């Protein structure tokens, strides 16, 4: 009886990874995040909140808080990776198919294509129905800025910017790490992203405790954001949008965004649709100017929300396809 060589084993693992990621992507498109099921990010968030309270109670000086911030980031990310890996391995030990099913489900929870599209479409429908007040409320659930006084254009811009930015955070970055390391690495990324969304602020409270989380999020999204830029250019061309303008807008405007990564998807979407994003935003009553992304070839309208969602879906599908192809090519080369 011939045993399985190390090369054959590694090739099999990579092939299973492709199957799992593709299955998880379609599972997310099919069911999204059921409300009756506790989401892993909720558990990660509770861990962050508990550790945050502990560190604020124990650490008083800026130096101590910065050290605590580093410990917070390392602890949460390591816990997310380790617990996910232990769960998958334990289930695999019971039955390999059970382990694979659990990994696919865990991978699907790191993706947010369906929930992101659902939130955007709800606001889009409210604007089409003329229900601006309810649209302001709903957009306030997905953005950090003040929304109570936004006009229709402001609600549209907030929604387009959020969907565009989350093409990276909510879809392509998890896919990137899923292809590299399966559910454990994808969940570790979600821990990074959750840390940044909870403590990665440059305000008085989190300036020191949140610095490591913010830097880690920038680092984790660096490569996926640039992959997203290429995918959005391809998606723009496939959907008949202005891919040339999208490329020009990325080159011209992306670097002006306060985030080293978010400017790429936002500027790509702005260029593809011929709209201008950015401008004045209000946060807790304080007005600030967000760098402009793109040139206003056409005024922002509610339809641009639907078009941004189309770009998100096309880019994510291309991400799954390109990731699967690249990993397949790698397995072929590795098996030679």
């Amino acid at each position: 009886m011939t045993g399985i060589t190390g090369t054959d084993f590694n090739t099999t693992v990579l092939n299973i990874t492709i199957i799992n990621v593709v299955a998880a992507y379609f599972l997310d498109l099919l069911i999204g995040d059921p409300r009756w099921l506790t989401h892993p990010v909720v558990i990660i968030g509770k861990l962050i909140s508990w550790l945050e309270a502990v560190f604020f109670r124990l650490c008083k000086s800026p130096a101590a808080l910065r050290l605590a911030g580093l410990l917070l980031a390392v602890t949460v990310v390591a816990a997310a990776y380790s617990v996910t890996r232990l769960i998958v391995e334990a289930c695999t030990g019971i039955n390999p198919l059970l382990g694979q099913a659990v990994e696919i489900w865990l991978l699907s929870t790191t993706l947010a294509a369906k929930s992101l599209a659902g939130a955007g479409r709800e606001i889009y429908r409210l604007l089409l129905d003329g229900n601006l007040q309810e649209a302001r409320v709903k957009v306030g659930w997905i953005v950090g800025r003040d929304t109570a006084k936004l006009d229709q254009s402001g609600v549209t811009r907030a929604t387009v910017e959020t969907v565009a930015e989350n093409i990276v955070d909510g879809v392509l970055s998890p896919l990137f790490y899923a292809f590299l390391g399966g559910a454990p690495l994808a969940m570790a990324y979600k821990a990074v992203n959750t840390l940044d969304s909870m403590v990665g602020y440059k305000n008085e409270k989190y300036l020191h405790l949140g610095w490591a989380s913010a830097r880690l999020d920038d680092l984790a999204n660096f490569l996926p954001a640039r992959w997203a830029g290429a995918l959005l250019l391809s998606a723009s061309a496939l959907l008949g949008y202005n891919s040339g303008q999208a490329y020009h807008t990325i080159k011209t405007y992306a670097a002006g965004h306060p985030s080293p990564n978010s400017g790429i998807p936002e500027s790509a979407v702005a260029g593809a649709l011929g709209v201008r994003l950015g401008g004045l935003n209000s946060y807790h009553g304080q007005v600030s100017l967000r760098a402009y992304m793109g040139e206003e070839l056409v005024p922002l309208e509610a339809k641009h929300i639907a078009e941004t969602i189309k770009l998100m879906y096309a880019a994510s599908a291309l991400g799954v396809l390109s990731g699967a192809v690249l990993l397949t090519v790698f397995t072929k080369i590795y098996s030679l």
Side-chain angles (χ1 to χ4, degrees):
M1 183 175 179
T2 303
I4 298 176
T5 66
T7 299
D8 290 338
F9 176 77
N10 288 324
T11 300
T12 301
V13 169
L14 291 175
N15 286 332
I16 292 174
T17 297
I18 294 171
I19 293 169
N20 290 350
V21 175
V22 173
Y25 174 72
F26 283 106
L27 183 61
D28 173 63
L29 295 184
L30 182 64
I31 67 171
D33 299 321
R35 294 183 180 180
W36 56 268
L37 197 60
T38 301
H39 198 285
V41 167
V42 173
I43 299 172
I44 293 171
K46 289 181 178 179
L47 175 60
I48 294 169
S49 295
W50 181 76
L51 288 173
E52 173 191 338
V54 171
F55 288 136
F56 272 130
R57 187 166 60 249
L58 296 178
C59 305
K60 302 303 179 182
S61 70
L65 283 170
R66 288 178 70 84
L67 182 60
L70 180 60
L71 183 59
L72 171 66
V74 171
T75 301
V76 172
V77 174
Y81 179 91
S82 301
V83 171
T84 304
R85 182 168 180 172
L86 285 172
I87 291 172
V88 172
E89 289 180 349
C91 292
T92 302
I94 297 171
N95 184 289
L97 289 179
L98 174 63
Q100 187 171 10
V102 169
E103 174 144 23
I104 289 170
W105 173 70
L106 287 170
L107 280 171
S108 74
T109 67
T110 69
L111 302 171
K114 183 178 177 64
S115 60
L116 183 60
R121 285 197 184 111
E122 185 174 11
I123 296 165
Y124 169 64
R125 286 192 293 266
L126 287 168
L127 291 177
L128 289 185
D129 293 341
N131 193 343
L132 178 59
Q133 183 58 38
E134 187 65 18
R136 288 168 173 164
V137 173
K138 291 299 173 66
V139 79
W141 293 0
I142 61 172
V143 299
R145 71 194 69 172
D146 302 331
T147 62
K149 297 181 180 179
L150 292 179
D151 58 13
Q152 178 165 320
S153 177
V155 170
T156 299
R157 177 166 72 84
T159 308
V160 168
E161 288 173 352
T162 298
V163 174
E165 180 179 352
N166 281 284
I167 291 172
V168 176
D169 293 2
V171 187
L172 292 176
S173 282
L175 283 174
F176 180 86
Y177 290 104
F179 277 119
L180 287 180
L185 196 59
M187 196 64 70
Y189 168 76
K190 292 304 293 185
V192 170
N193 192 238
T194 307
L195 278 162
D196 182 62
S197 67
M198 292 182 66
V199 303
Y201 300 104
K202 294 181 179 179
N203 56 25
E204 184 178 354
K205 181 177 181 180
Y206 291 115
L207 180 63
H208 302 294
L209 185 69
W211 75 274
S213 296
R215 296 286 179 84
L216 186 58
D217 186 73
D218 289 343
L219 182 62
N221 284 310
F222 185 84
L223 290 178
R226 280 132 191 93
W227 183 40
L231 293 173
L232 283 166
L233 292 179
S234 300
S236 300
L238 287 173
L239 294 174
Y241 298 127
N242 195 334
S243 57
Q245 183 67 18
Y247 177 72
H248 166 74
T249 306
I250 292 173
K251 285 183 60 180
T252 306
Y253 293 95
H257 197 281
S259 163
N261 302 311
S262 298
I264 295 174
E266 285 192 29
S267 60
V269 168
L273 302 183
V275 300
R276 188 176 73 173
L277 302 177
L280 292 176
N281 295 333
S282 174
Y283 299 92
H284 306 292
Q286 299 296 316
V287 177
S288 65
L289 176 65
R290 171 70 65 87
Y292 288 114
M293 298 283 120
E295 298 159 15
E296 191 176 9
L297 304 181
V298 295
L300 266 171
E301 300 177 24
K303 69 174 184 178
H304 292 121
I305 297 174
E307 292 175 348
T308 303
I309 293 169
K310 288 180 183 178
L311 281 168
M312 182 270 292
Y313 272 133
S316 65
L318 289 172
V320 172
L321 178 62
S322 61
V325 168
L326 288 172
L327 206 53
T328 300
V329 170
F330 179 78
T331 62
K332 297 297 183 184
I333 295 173
Y334 189 80
S335 62
L336 293 177

